[in-house]
Amino acid sequence: MDKSGAKRGALLKATLFFMVWLLLLGLAYWYFLIKPQQWFDATQQQPPLLADSARQQALREQLRQHFPQLQDGRAWFVRFKQSGCQCERFVELYHQSFSARADPARMQVISVDLAQDTFTPEQLSFITEVIPATPSVALFNPQGAVNYFGPYHQEGICNAENSYLEPVLQALAQGQDLSILNTLVFGCFCSTR
């Protein structure tokens, strides 16, 4: 084979390699970033089911039964997750840093894995009715009302700059009374239903 044929063969191999690489990159982008994109609450129920104080109290009671360490008189930060959900990786580091800096005298932090925790079928049915998707968080005040419910953030890796929780936590620290039910968000979520 002459030099020009060898060059053409090498160029063909390089082009083929580049095309396969580009295809795999596109598939990975679709699988990890585009595929899980959905509305946090696909039904877009307004007001959300957790707007009802009776449902808030029912959720608190089920959480207290499952996590007896939860006590009244302190805020509860409850992370809802599903271990098989690809979107969990976007909030994991933020959740870990938040948990580490949360004052345990004022706030209890727990994680509820809907895919692995042992809820009764009735409990799981109720929880998945009021929690439409994960990753999500419910922040209960010391009196038992929801201060915030919804996703951690909308897009990308969650951090203190793009988290929906940071402004809520700052407002609560300043003594404001809030009830934010943030369910009309489009992003990387896994449906619980």
Side-chain angles (χ1 to χ4, degrees), residues 6-16:
K7 285 182 182 179
R8 268 189 247 127
L11 182 60
L12 183 60
K13 286 180 184 176
T15 302
L16 184 60

Side-chain angles (χ1 to χ4, degrees), residues 156-169:
I157 304 297
C158 185
N159 57 48
E161 286 78 39
N162 71 358
S163 169
Y164 292 132
L165 294 169
E166 293 298 322
V168 170
L169 294 169

Side-chain angles (χ1 to χ4, degrees), residues 22 42 66 78 82 119 121 155 165-167 178 189 192:
L22 198 58
H66 199 70
V78 184
Q82 297 176 82
F119 291 101
E155 293 293 336
L165 294 169
E166 293 298 322
L178 301 173
F189 306 113
T192 61

